[in-house]
Amino acid sequence: MKTLLVIGIGAGNPDFITLQAIKALNRCDVVFLMDKGPSKDTLIDLRRELCQRHITERPYRLVEARIPERQRGEVDYRASVQALNRDKQHLFEQLINEQLAEGETAAFLVWGDPALYDSTLRILQQILAGGAMQFEYQVIPGITSVQALAAQHKVPLNRIGRSVEITTGRRLAAGQASAADSLVVMLDAEDSFQQLRHQGLDIYWGAYLGTADERLISGRLDEVADEICRVRREARQAHGWIMDTYLLRKPEA
Ligand SMILES: C[S@@+](CC[C@H](N)C(=O)[O-])C[C@H]1O[C@@H](n2cnc3c(N)ncnc32)[C@H](O)[C@@H]1O
């Protein structure tokens, strides 16, 4: 039987990696290195560095693959996501078939935690459900960008006894966030926090969390929104990509 380890590597700081993840890395014959888009090189470099630093107990092979990207622009969003998932499934099947021998163990290194806005687990489950391939798999949790954001701003995510919602910039822009009094927003391509101006909210914003390029801004949304828009624009220009996350909420009564 082949074994797959889906390892959360934390969302930016190489020190986010857990002891459990290091032990898992040292069980691997193969490590799959995958990323996409302009952020690819930086994020693959971090994964490579983690392997070099922590895999000390046995030889291993690195296999790099480019993750397919979603078609953007004038296309139906759901259809483009379905097509992307089909392409990703095909790539995963190919890697498991061609790069991993019977009895071997491979790692998928997942940014942050595999349970949060990441398709690796869903794809592996789909492959198994298809019945054409068999393998065992385990999940090793990682530190998410949400935890990194809260830690860097030194804020708890929830108000006492209250709920927190995690959503996407796309849903926020479409007015689809719930009335949760603490709202964490990820995957925001469009400064969607602007939709919530003039509601007396506070924002805790962080980009490139855990890395040398980390940027943090916090304050009353109405007062800092323009600054965040500017910093996002400049950072995107400088790096060619941006990863940011933010917490929005009403100030304590
Ligand atoms: C596809 S999701 C992956 C989330 C990841 N699995 C996690 O646990 O954080 C990518 C989004 O995560 C957030 N993100 C990931 N790493 C980040 C970082 N270092 N700083 C700020 N936001 C980050 C951003 O909102 C980005 O658009």
Side-chain angles (χ1 to χ4, degrees):
M1 183 68 87
K2 300 181 182 188
T3 303
L4 303 177
L5 304 177
V6 183
I7 304 178
I9 58 167
N13 186 332
D15 287 350
F16 284 166
I17 194 153
T18 65
L19 294 176
Q20 189 190 18
I22 293 173
K23 285 184 192 162
L25 282 173
N26 279 285
R27 289 169 53 199
C28 290
D29 302 287
V30 182
V31 178
F32 295 134
L33 293 185
M34 292 189 285
D35 244 304
K36 61 184 175 188
S39 61
K40 178 174 171 278
D41 292 342
T42 317
L43 302 190
I44 290 230
D45 283 351
L46 178 81
R47 288 169 168 86
R48 207 179 276 119
E49 184 194 324
L50 289 176
C51 293
Q52 272 164 11
R53 205 199 293 180
H54 296 298
I55 307 184
T56 53
E57 293 173 20
R58 54 188 297 175
Y60 62 97
R61 310 189 294 278
L62 285 180
V63 174
E64 283 193 33
R66 176 146 198 155
I67 290 200
E69 288 197 66
R70 186 170 68 77
Q71 202 187 342
R72 291 174 199 273
E74 298 293 305
V75 289
D76 176 63
Y77 177 69
R78 283 183 72 85
S80 68
V81 171
Q82 280 166 0
L84 172 67
N85 285 340
R86 271 196 308 275
D87 292 346
K88 281 191 189 169
Q89 182 170 338
H90 181 66
L91 171 67
F92 278 36
E93 286 170 346
Q94 216 176 3
L95 289 171
I96 298 165
N97 258 332
E98 296 173 8
Q99 303 290 345
L100 191 64
E102 229 14 74
E104 284 193 323
T105 298
F108 286 93
L109 305 188
V110 174
W111 192 255
D113 182 81
L116 189 64
Y117 290 114
D118 185 87
S119 55
T120 308
L121 294 179
R122 240 185 314 269
I123 292 171
L124 294 181
Q125 285 155 5
Q126 266 161 16
I127 295 175
L128 285 177
M133 207 181 256
Q134 283 200 328
F135 50 80
E136 287 172 353
Y137 72 104
Q138 292 164 22
V139 181
I140 288 92
I143 293 179
T144 70
S145 48
V146 178
Q147 292 160 289
L149 177 79
Q152 293 306 81
H153 281 290
K154 304 181 182 123
V155 285
L157 288 174
N158 62 291
R159 296 272 187 230
I160 298 172
R162 304 299 296 253
S163 55
V164 181
E165 176 171 336
I166 301 180
T167 191
T168 64
R170 174 179 289 273
R171 288 185 66 84
L172 186 62
Q176 290 168 331
S178 78
D181 50 7
S182 296
L183 188 63
V184 176
V185 183
M186 303 174 69
L187 292 158
D188 184 359
E190 307 286 348
D191 299 341
S192 304
F193 48 84
Q194 303 239 63
Q195 311 272 337
L196 300 184
R197 279 183 187 241
H198 313 305
Q199 297 185 27
L201 297 177
D202 286 334
I203 186 167
Y204 299 86
W205 175 85
Y208 314 105
L209 289 158
T211 74
D213 300 311
E214 179 173 279
R215 296 299 302 261
L216 299 172
I217 297 175
S218 62
R220 197 51 61 88
L221 177 62
D222 293 340
E223 288 162 17
V224 296
D226 288 342
E227 185 190 354
I228 297 175
C229 291
R230 179 183 55 76
V231 173
R232 282 188 106 218
R233 200 173 47 246
E234 288 171 2
R236 197 184 263 127
Q237 260 169 18
H239 295 266
W241 55 283
I242 187 166
M243 277 191 313
D244 62 342
T245 303
Y246 49 92
L247 169 66
L248 286 166
R249 67 175 172 205
K250 299 187 184 90
E252 200 95 64

PDB file of all heavy atoms in Angstrom, residues 1-33:
ATOM      1  N   MET A   1       0.851  -1.202   0.000  1.00  0.00           N
ATOM      2  CA  MET A   1       0.000   0.000   0.000  1.00  0.00           C
ATOM      3  C   MET A   1       0.891   1.258   0.000  1.00  0.00           C
ATOM      4  O   MET A   1       1.891   1.304   0.686  1.00  0.00           O
ATOM      5  CB  MET A   1      -0.867  -0.029   1.261  1.00  0.00           C
ATOM      6  CG  MET A   1      -1.859   1.089   1.389  1.00  0.00           C
ATOM      7  SD  MET A   1      -3.219   1.065   0.203  1.00  0.00           S
ATOM      8  CE  MET A   1      -4.398   0.025   1.022  1.00  0.00           C
ATOM      9  N   LYS A   2       0.458   2.285  -0.758  1.00  0.00           N
ATOM     10  CA  LYS A   2       1.167   3.572  -0.719  1.00  0.00           C
ATOM     11  C   LYS A   2       0.586   4.412   0.438  1.00  0.00           C
ATOM     12  O   LYS A   2      -0.594   4.282   0.757  1.00  0.00           O
ATOM     13  CB  LYS A   2       0.961   4.322  -2.043  1.00  0.00           C
ATOM     14  CG  LYS A   2       1.484   3.556  -3.246  1.00  0.00           C
ATOM     15  CD  LYS A   2       1.289   4.331  -4.532  1.00  0.00           C
ATOM     16  CE  LYS A   2       1.794   3.495  -5.709  1.00  0.00           C
ATOM     17  NZ  LYS A   2       1.831   4.221  -6.976  1.00  0.00           N
ATOM     18  N   THR A   3       1.420   5.265   1.013  1.00  0.00           N
ATOM     19  CA  THR A   3       0.936   6.137   2.102  1.00  0.00           C
ATOM     20  C   THR A   3       1.195   7.582   1.743  1.00  0.00           C
ATOM     21  O   THR A   3       2.285   7.928   1.277  1.00  0.00           O
ATOM     22  CB  THR A   3       1.663   5.810   3.432  1.00  0.00           C
ATOM     23  OG1 THR A   3       1.456   4.437   3.725  1.00  0.00           O
ATOM     24  CG2 THR A   3       1.133   6.651   4.569  1.00  0.00           C
ATOM     25  N   LEU A   4       0.190   8.412   1.954  1.00  0.00           N
ATOM     26  CA  LEU A   4       0.339   9.853   1.709  1.00  0.00           C
ATOM     27  C   LEU A   4       0.198  10.603   3.025  1.00  0.00           C
ATOM     28  O   LEU A   4      -0.703  10.313   3.816  1.00  0.00           O
ATOM     29  CB  LEU A   4      -0.744  10.338   0.747  1.00  0.00           C
ATOM     30  CG  LEU A   4      -0.783   9.631  -0.607  1.00  0.00           C
ATOM     31  CD1 LEU A   4      -1.936  10.157  -1.446  1.00  0.00           C
ATOM     32  CD2 LEU A   4       0.533   9.826  -1.350  1.00  0.00           C
ATOM     33  N   LEU A   5       1.091  11.549   3.254  1.00  0.00           N
ATOM     34  CA  LEU A   5       1.015  12.389   4.448  1.00  0.00           C
ATOM     35  C   LEU A   5       0.708  13.813   3.992  1.00  0.00           C
ATOM     36  O   LEU A   5       1.475  14.390   3.215  1.00  0.00           O
ATOM     37  CB  LEU A   5       2.345  12.358   5.204  1.00  0.00           C
ATOM     38  CG  LEU A   5       2.843  10.965   5.613  1.00  0.00           C
ATOM     39  CD1 LEU A   5       4.206  11.073   6.293  1.00  0.00           C
ATOM     40  CD2 LEU A   5       1.847  10.281   6.539  1.00  0.00           C
ATOM     41  N   VAL A   6      -0.411  14.326   4.423  1.00  0.00           N
ATOM     42  CA  VAL A   6      -0.778  15.700   4.067  1.00  0.00           C
ATOM     43  C   VAL A   6      -0.333  16.569   5.242  1.00  0.00           C
ATOM     44  O   VAL A   6      -0.942  16.550   6.311  1.00  0.00           O
ATOM     45  CB  VAL A   6      -2.290  15.808   3.826  1.00  0.00           C
ATOM     46  CG1 VAL A   6      -2.652  17.225   3.393  1.00  0.00           C
ATOM     47  CG2 VAL A   6      -2.750  14.781   2.798  1.00  0.00           C
ATOM     48  N   ILE A   7       0.757  17.297   5.020  1.00  0.00           N
ATOM     49  CA  ILE A   7       1.427  17.958   6.145  1.00  0.00           C
ATOM     50  C   ILE A   7       1.228  19.469   6.087  1.00  0.00           C
ATOM     51  O   ILE A   7       1.665  20.128   5.142  1.00  0.00           O
ATOM     52  CB  ILE A   7       2.950  17.652   6.122  1.00  0.00           C
ATOM     53  CG1 ILE A   7       3.184  16.135   6.126  1.00  0.00           C
ATOM     54  CG2 ILE A   7       3.652  18.319   7.302  1.00  0.00           C
ATOM     55  CD1 ILE A   7       4.667  15.747   6.055  1.00  0.00           C
ATOM     56  N   GLY A   8       0.579  20.019   7.094  1.00  0.00           N
ATOM     57  CA  GLY A   8       0.462  21.483   7.207  1.00  0.00           C
ATOM     58  C   GLY A   8       1.819  22.040   7.623  1.00  0.00           C
ATOM     59  O   GLY A   8       2.393  21.595   8.620  1.00  0.00           O
ATOM     60  N   ILE A   9       2.332  23.002   6.858  1.00  0.00           N
ATOM     61  CA  ILE A   9       3.692  23.513   7.148  1.00  0.00           C
ATOM     62  C   ILE A   9       3.658  24.910   7.764  1.00  0.00           C
ATOM     63  O   ILE A   9       4.695  25.533   7.943  1.00  0.00           O
ATOM     64  CB  ILE A   9       4.582  23.530   5.882  1.00  0.00           C
ATOM     65  CG1 ILE A   9       3.950  24.397   4.785  1.00  0.00           C
ATOM     66  CG2 ILE A   9       4.867  22.109   5.407  1.00  0.00           C
ATOM     67  CD1 ILE A   9       4.911  24.697   3.646  1.00  0.00           C
ATOM     68  N   GLY A  10       2.451  25.399   8.090  1.00  0.00           N
ATOM     69  CA  GLY A  10       2.362  26.758   8.626  1.00  0.00           C
ATOM     70  C   GLY A  10       2.324  27.763   7.487  1.00  0.00           C
ATOM     71  O   GLY A  10       2.679  27.453   6.350  1.00  0.00           O
ATOM     72  N   ALA A  11       1.895  28.982   7.823  1.00  0.00           N
ATOM     73  CA  ALA A  11       1.588  29.959   6.772  1.00  0.00           C
ATOM     74  C   ALA A  11       2.634  31.049   6.651  1.00  0.00           C
ATOM     75  O   ALA A  11       2.309  32.218   6.632  1.00  0.00           O
ATOM     76  CB  ALA A  11       0.212  30.563   7.026  1.00  0.00           C
ATOM     77  N   GLY A  12       3.918  30.688   6.575  1.00  0.00           N
ATOM     78  CA  GLY A  12       4.887  31.735   6.240  1.00  0.00           C
ATOM     79  C   GLY A  12       6.197  31.654   6.986  1.00  0.00           C
ATOM     80  O   GLY A  12       7.259  31.746   6.382  1.00  0.00           O
ATOM     81  N   ASN A  13       6.135  31.513   8.297  1.00  0.00           N
ATOM     82  CA  ASN A  13       7.374  31.482   9.086  1.00  0.00           C
ATOM     83  C   ASN A  13       7.890  30.034   9.138  1.00  0.00           C
ATOM     84  O   ASN A  13       7.148  29.141   9.533  1.00  0.00           O
ATOM     85  CB  ASN A  13       7.056  31.991  10.499  1.00  0.00           C
ATOM     86  CG  ASN A  13       8.296  32.139  11.353  1.00  0.00           C
ATOM     87  OD1 ASN A  13       9.280  31.431  11.149  1.00  0.00           O
ATOM     88  ND2 ASN A  13       8.240  33.046  12.304  1.00  0.00           N
ATOM     89  N   PRO A  14       9.148  29.791   8.740  1.00  0.00           N
ATOM     90  CA  PRO A  14       9.658  28.413   8.786  1.00  0.00           C
ATOM     91  C   PRO A  14       9.575  27.821  10.196  1.00  0.00           C
ATOM     92  O   PRO A  14       9.494  26.608  10.344  1.00  0.00           O
ATOM     93  CB  PRO A  14      11.128  28.536   8.355  1.00  0.00           C
ATOM     94  CG  PRO A  14      11.293  29.912   7.827  1.00  0.00           C
ATOM     95  CD  PRO A  14      10.134  30.753   8.251  1.00  0.00           C
ATOM     96  N   ASP A  15       9.549  28.673  11.215  1.00  0.00           N
ATOM     97  CA  ASP A  15       9.457  28.162  12.590  1.00  0.00           C
ATOM     98  C   ASP A  15       8.034  27.747  12.964  1.00  0.00           C
ATOM     99  O   ASP A  15       7.802  27.242  14.065  1.00  0.00           O
ATOM    100  CB  ASP A  15       9.945  29.216  13.596  1.00  0.00           C
ATOM    101  CG  ASP A  15      11.455  29.368  13.548  1.00  0.00           C
ATOM    102  OD1 ASP A  15      12.116  28.540  12.898  1.00  0.00           O
ATOM    103  OD2 ASP A  15      11.972  30.318  14.161  1.00  0.00           O
ATOM    104  N   PHE A  16       7.066  27.971  12.075  1.00  0.00           N
ATOM    105  CA  PHE A  16       5.703  27.529  12.363  1.00  0.00           C
ATOM    106  C   PHE A  16       5.576  26.006  12.294  1.00  0.00           C
ATOM    107  O   PHE A  16       4.594  25.440  12.715  1.00  0.00           O
ATOM    108  CB  PHE A  16       4.702  28.122  11.359  1.00  0.00           C
ATOM    109  CG  PHE A  16       4.355  29.571  11.578  1.00  0.00           C
ATOM    110  CD1 PHE A  16       3.709  30.292  10.578  1.00  0.00           C
ATOM    111  CD2 PHE A  16       4.649  30.214  12.771  1.00  0.00           C
ATOM    112  CE1 PHE A  16       3.368  31.622  10.759  1.00  0.00           C
ATOM    113  CE2 PHE A  16       4.312  31.543  12.963  1.00  0.00           C
ATOM    114  CZ  PHE A  16       3.669  32.250  11.951  1.00  0.00           C
ATOM    115  N   ILE A  17       6.539  25.331  11.703  1.00  0.00           N
ATOM    116  CA  ILE A  17       6.397  23.884  11.504  1.00  0.00           C
ATOM    117  C   ILE A  17       6.394  23.172  12.870  1.00  0.00           C
ATOM    118  O   ILE A  17       7.132  23.549  13.778  1.00  0.00           O
ATOM    119  CB  ILE A  17       7.496  23.338  10.568  1.00  0.00           C
ATOM    120  CG1 ILE A  17       7.129  21.937  10.097  1.00  0.00           C
ATOM    121  CG2 ILE A  17       8.876  23.369  11.215  1.00  0.00           C
ATOM    122  CD1 ILE A  17       7.721  21.574   8.765  1.00  0.00           C
ATOM    123  N   THR A  18       5.544  22.153  13.002  1.00  0.00           N
ATOM    124  CA  THR A  18       5.409  21.474  14.301  1.00  0.00           C
ATOM    125  C   THR A  18       6.342  20.270  14.388  1.00  0.00           C
ATOM    126  O   THR A  18       6.843  19.770  13.365  1.00  0.00           O
ATOM    127  CB  THR A  18       3.971  20.975  14.510  1.00  0.00           C
ATOM    128  OG1 THR A  18       3.711  19.960  13.523  1.00  0.00           O
ATOM    129  CG2 THR A  18       2.949  22.088  14.387  1.00  0.00           C
ATOM    130  N   LEU A  19       6.539  19.782  15.613  1.00  0.00           N
ATOM    131  CA  LEU A  19       7.363  18.576  15.802  1.00  0.00           C
ATOM    132  C   LEU A  19       6.716  17.394  15.089  1.00  0.00           C
ATOM    133  O   LEU A  19       7.395  16.542  14.518  1.00  0.00           O
ATOM    134  CB  LEU A  19       7.530  18.282  17.301  1.00  0.00           C
ATOM    135  CG  LEU A  19       8.340  19.327  18.080  1.00  0.00           C
ATOM    136  CD1 LEU A  19       8.362  19.001  19.559  1.00  0.00           C
ATOM    137  CD2 LEU A  19       9.759  19.390  17.544  1.00  0.00           C
ATOM    138  N   GLN A  20       5.383  17.354  15.115  1.00  0.00           N
ATOM    139  CA  GLN A  20       4.682  16.255  14.434  1.00  0.00           C
ATOM    140  C   GLN A  20       4.973  16.289  12.929  1.00  0.00           C
ATOM    141  O   GLN A  20       5.191  15.256  12.299  1.00  0.00           O
ATOM    142  CB  GLN A  20       3.172  16.368  14.682  1.00  0.00           C
ATOM    143  CG  GLN A  20       2.409  15.152  14.186  1.00  0.00           C
ATOM    144  CD  GLN A  20       0.894  15.360  14.213  1.00  0.00           C
ATOM    145  OE1 GLN A  20       0.418  16.496  14.278  1.00  0.00           O
ATOM    146  NE2 GLN A  20       0.153  14.260  14.143  1.00  0.00           N
ATOM    147  N   ALA A  21       4.995  17.510  12.369  1.00  0.00           N
ATOM    148  CA  ALA A  21       5.278  17.643  10.936  1.00  0.00           C
ATOM    149  C   ALA A  21       6.711  17.193  10.631  1.00  0.00           C
ATOM    150  O   ALA A  21       6.973  16.526   9.615  1.00  0.00           O
ATOM    151  CB  ALA A  21       5.058  19.087  10.493  1.00  0.00           C
ATOM    152  N   ILE A  22       7.639  17.543  11.503  1.00  0.00           N
ATOM    153  CA  ILE A  22       9.045  17.142  11.274  1.00  0.00           C
ATOM    154  C   ILE A  22       9.172  15.617  11.325  1.00  0.00           C
ATOM    155  O   ILE A  22       9.823  15.002  10.474  1.00  0.00           O
ATOM    156  CB  ILE A  22       9.976  17.815  12.310  1.00  0.00           C
ATOM    157  CG1 ILE A  22      10.001  19.322  12.059  1.00  0.00           C
ATOM    158  CG2 ILE A  22      11.386  17.248  12.232  1.00  0.00           C
ATOM    159  CD1 ILE A  22      10.738  20.130  13.100  1.00  0.00           C
ATOM    160  N   LYS A  23       8.486  15.002  12.292  1.00  0.00           N
ATOM    161  CA  LYS A  23       8.524  13.529  12.358  1.00  0.00           C
ATOM    162  C   LYS A  23       7.927  12.932  11.088  1.00  0.00           C
ATOM    163  O   LYS A  23       8.447  11.966  10.535  1.00  0.00           O
ATOM    164  CB  LYS A  23       7.740  13.026  13.574  1.00  0.00           C
ATOM    165  CG  LYS A  23       8.472  13.226  14.882  1.00  0.00           C
ATOM    166  CD  LYS A  23       7.655  12.606  16.014  1.00  0.00           C
ATOM    167  CE  LYS A  23       8.219  13.056  17.361  1.00  0.00           C
ATOM    168  NZ  LYS A  23       7.280  12.878  18.458  1.00  0.00           N
ATOM    169  N   ALA A  24       6.843  13.527  10.613  1.00  0.00           N
ATOM    170  CA  ALA A  24       6.193  13.014   9.398  1.00  0.00           C
ATOM    171  C   ALA A  24       7.123  13.161   8.194  1.00  0.00           C
ATOM    172  O   ALA A  24       7.240  12.242   7.369  1.00  0.00           O
ATOM    173  CB  ALA A  24       4.876  13.758   9.158  1.00  0.00           C
ATOM    174  N   LEU A  25       7.802  14.302   8.089  1.00  0.00           N
ATOM    175  CA  LEU A  25       8.725  14.514   6.963  1.00  0.00           C
ATOM    176  C   LEU A  25       9.802  13.428   6.942  1.00  0.00           C
ATOM    177  O   LEU A  25      10.223  12.969   5.879  1.00  0.00           O
ATOM    178  CB  LEU A  25       9.403  15.885   7.076  1.00  0.00           C
ATOM    179  CG  LEU A  25       8.572  17.098   6.662  1.00  0.00           C
ATOM    180  CD1 LEU A  25       9.317  18.383   6.999  1.00  0.00           C
ATOM    181  CD2 LEU A  25       8.253  17.043   5.179  1.00  0.00           C
ATOM    182  N   ASN A  26      10.220  13.014   8.117  1.00  0.00           N
ATOM    183  CA  ASN A  26      11.289  12.015   8.198  1.00  0.00           C
ATOM    184  C   ASN A  26      10.814  10.595   7.929  1.00  0.00           C
ATOM    185  O   ASN A  26      11.603   9.657   7.988  1.00  0.00           O
ATOM    186  CB  ASN A  26      12.007  12.125   9.547  1.00  0.00           C
ATOM    187  CG  ASN A  26      13.021  13.252   9.532  1.00  0.00           C
ATOM    188  OD1 ASN A  26      14.092  13.134   8.936  1.00  0.00           O
ATOM    189  ND2 ASN A  26      12.674  14.376  10.147  1.00  0.00           N
ATOM    190  N   ARG A  27       9.518  10.442   7.637  1.00  0.00           N
ATOM    191  CA  ARG A  27       9.008   9.119   7.214  1.00  0.00           C
ATOM    192  C   ARG A  27       8.908   9.024   5.696  1.00  0.00           C
ATOM    193  O   ARG A  27       8.544   7.989   5.153  1.00  0.00           O
ATOM    194  CB  ARG A  27       7.597   8.897   7.788  1.00  0.00           C
ATOM    195  CG  ARG A  27       7.569   8.663   9.275  1.00  0.00           C
ATOM    196  CD  ARG A  27       6.146   8.721   9.814  1.00  0.00           C
ATOM    197  NE  ARG A  27       5.229   7.839   9.089  1.00  0.00           N
ATOM    198  CZ  ARG A  27       3.905   7.975   9.113  1.00  0.00           C
ATOM    199  NH1 ARG A  27       3.335   8.953   9.797  1.00  0.00           N
ATOM    200  NH2 ARG A  27       3.144   7.138   8.443  1.00  0.00           N
ATOM    201  N   CYS A  28       9.245  10.116   4.977  1.00  0.00           N
ATOM    202  CA  CYS A  28       8.907  10.184   3.542  1.00  0.00           C
ATOM    203  C   CYS A  28      10.015   9.674   2.624  1.00  0.00           C
ATOM    204  O   CYS A  28      11.182   9.926   2.863  1.00  0.00           O
ATOM    205  CB  CYS A  28       8.626  11.627   3.152  1.00  0.00           C
ATOM    206  SG  CYS A  28       7.122  12.183   3.863  1.00  0.00           S
ATOM    207  N   ASP A  29       9.590   8.979   1.565  1.00  0.00           N
ATOM    208  CA  ASP A  29      10.503   8.648   0.467  1.00  0.00           C
ATOM    209  C   ASP A  29      10.468   9.758  -0.572  1.00  0.00           C
ATOM    210  O   ASP A  29      11.455  10.005  -1.272  1.00  0.00           O
ATOM    211  CB  ASP A  29      10.057   7.343  -0.199  1.00  0.00           C
ATOM    212  CG  ASP A  29      10.007   6.201   0.802  1.00  0.00           C
ATOM    213  OD1 ASP A  29      11.088   5.742   1.203  1.00  0.00           O
ATOM    214  OD2 ASP A  29       8.894   5.795   1.211  1.00  0.00           O
ATOM    215  N   VAL A  30       9.311  10.403  -0.701  1.00  0.00           N
ATOM    216  CA  VAL A  30       9.113  11.424  -1.734  1.00  0.00           C
ATOM    217  C   VAL A  30       8.405  12.620  -1.113  1.00  0.00           C
ATOM    218  O   VAL A  30       7.502  12.448  -0.294  1.00  0.00           O
ATOM    219  CB  VAL A  30       8.197  10.897  -2.864  1.00  0.00           C
ATOM    220  CG1 VAL A  30       8.023  11.930  -3.963  1.00  0.00           C
ATOM    221  CG2 VAL A  30       8.704   9.601  -3.430  1.00  0.00           C
ATOM    222  N   VAL A  31       8.823  13.826  -1.521  1.00  0.00           N
ATOM    223  CA  VAL A  31       8.076  15.031  -1.126  1.00  0.00           C
ATOM    224  C   VAL A  31       7.604  15.709  -2.406  1.00  0.00           C
ATOM    225  O   VAL A  31       8.414  16.010  -3.288  1.00  0.00           O
ATOM    226  CB  VAL A  31       8.952  15.997  -0.308  1.00  0.00           C
ATOM    227  CG1 VAL A  31       8.169  17.246   0.047  1.00  0.00           C
ATOM    228  CG2 VAL A  31       9.469  15.317   0.957  1.00  0.00           C
ATOM    229  N   PHE A  32       6.299  15.929  -2.503  1.00  0.00           N
ATOM    230  CA  PHE A  32       5.761  16.651  -3.660  1.00  0.00           C
ATOM    231  C   PHE A  32       5.782  18.149  -3.345  1.00  0.00           C
ATOM    232  O   PHE A  32       5.225  18.578  -2.333  1.00  0.00           O
ATOM    233  CB  PHE A  32       4.320  16.213  -3.944  1.00  0.00           C
ATOM    234  CG  PHE A  32       4.206  14.776  -4.362  1.00  0.00           C
ATOM    235  CD1 PHE A  32       3.235  13.946  -3.807  1.00  0.00           C
ATOM    236  CD2 PHE A  32       5.054  14.231  -5.320  1.00  0.00           C
ATOM    237  CE1 PHE A  32       3.124  12.620  -4.194  1.00  0.00           C
ATOM    238  CE2 PHE A  32       4.952  12.910  -5.714  1.00  0.00           C
ATOM    239  CZ  PHE A  32       3.985  12.098  -5.141  1.00  0.00           C
ATOM    240  N   LEU A  33       6.429  18.910  -4.207  1.00  0.00           N
ATOM    241  CA  LEU A  33       6.491  20.370  -4.032  1.00  0.00           C
ATOM    242  C   LEU A  33       5.603  21.001  -5.080  1.00  0.00           C
ATOM    243  O   LEU A  33       5.891  20.917  -6.272  1.00  0.00           O
ATOM    244  CB  LEU A  33       7.914  20.878  -4.244  1.00  0.00           C
ATOM    245  CG  LEU A  33       8.983  20.465  -3.239  1.00  0.00           C
ATOM    246  CD1 LEU A  33      10.293  21.169  -3.561  1.00  0.00           C
ATOM    247  CD2 LEU A  33       8.552  20.819  -1.824  1.00  0.00           C
TER     248      LEU A  33
END
